[in-house]
Amino acid sequence: NIMKHLSLILISISLVLVSCGSSKQVMRNLDDTAFIQLETTPCFGYCPTYTMKLMATGEASFDGKHYTKKAGQFVKQFSEAEVQQLFEQLMVLDPMNRPDVYDNEMVTDLPSNILTFGDGKTEKTIRCRFDIPDDMLDFIQSLRAAAESTTGWEAVSSK
């Protein structure tokens, strides 16, 4: 088990150390239909509830449901650098080999962050509510920052 963790750490370090050339390779390996989707769920308080979907092409959609600065449907074109950063962060997480759920049924009133990834061939959904590993939390925070920003989003319709 320690060897498995050590090899994952070494792979992660090598991914970080390799230059931009390989990050472009990561993007080239992805189909244009590859995407990252974040869905947030309600809680008993004022938790922002929305869905954001980011395509490998940089096209993104946002559906603000409750307690969001942007209510309704929005679209945005993310820069190549932003897309690359988020997809690289995703690749390092190796989502296909992660559990489908991070949770504890005994803990109540926590919203979920539901992550769905697609690489053009397969899809994986991971429900993150409790006991979420730090690397996954960092990724969720990056996605939430991108989704919840008010810069560059254009309203399609408002509620």
Side-chain angles (χ1 to χ4, degrees), residues 20-32:
C20 294
S22 75
S23 57
K24 289 210 182 332
Q25 191 63 40
V26 162
M27 294 306 290
R28 267 200 298 273
N29 290 341
L30 289 173
D31 189 296
D32 277 354

Side-chain angles (χ1 to χ4, degrees), residues 24-36 54-58 83 87 91 118-122:
K24 289 210 182 332
Q25 191 63 40
V26 162
M27 294 306 290
R28 267 200 298 273
N29 290 341
L30 289 173
D31 189 296
D32 277 354
T33 61
F35 69 91
I36 302 169
L54 173 63
M55 304 300 295
T57 58
V83 173
F87 274 89
M91 297 302 171
D119 63 7
K121 298 167 211 62
T122 57

Side-chain angles (χ1 to χ4, degrees), residues 106-124:
M106 303 306 290
V107 178
T108 59
D109 190 32
L110 282 180
S112 290
N113 291 285
I114 303 165
L115 301 168
T116 304
F117 316 103
D119 63 7
K121 298 167 211 62
T122 57
E123 280 187 21
K124 166 94 173 188

Side-chain angles (χ1 to χ4, degrees), residues 1-17 92 94 98 135:
N1 203 6
I2 288 176
M3 288 307 291
K4 183 178 176 189
H5 286 302
L6 186 59
S7 67
L8 283 174
I9 290 167
L10 290 173
I11 289 169
S12 298
I13 290 169
S14 65
L15 284 171
V16 171
L17 293 177
V92 172
D94 192 15
R98 296 274 180 147
D135 58 351

Side-chain angles (χ1 to χ4, degrees), residues 28-55:
R28 267 200 298 273
N29 290 341
L30 289 173
D31 189 296
D32 277 354
T33 61
F35 69 91
I36 302 169
Q37 180 175 290
L38 170 66
E39 180 184 350
T40 62
T41 64
C43 64
F44 292 123
Y46 298 100
C47 299
T49 308
Y50 59 83
T51 302
M52 180 192 72
K53 185 172 190 174
L54 173 63
M55 304 300 295

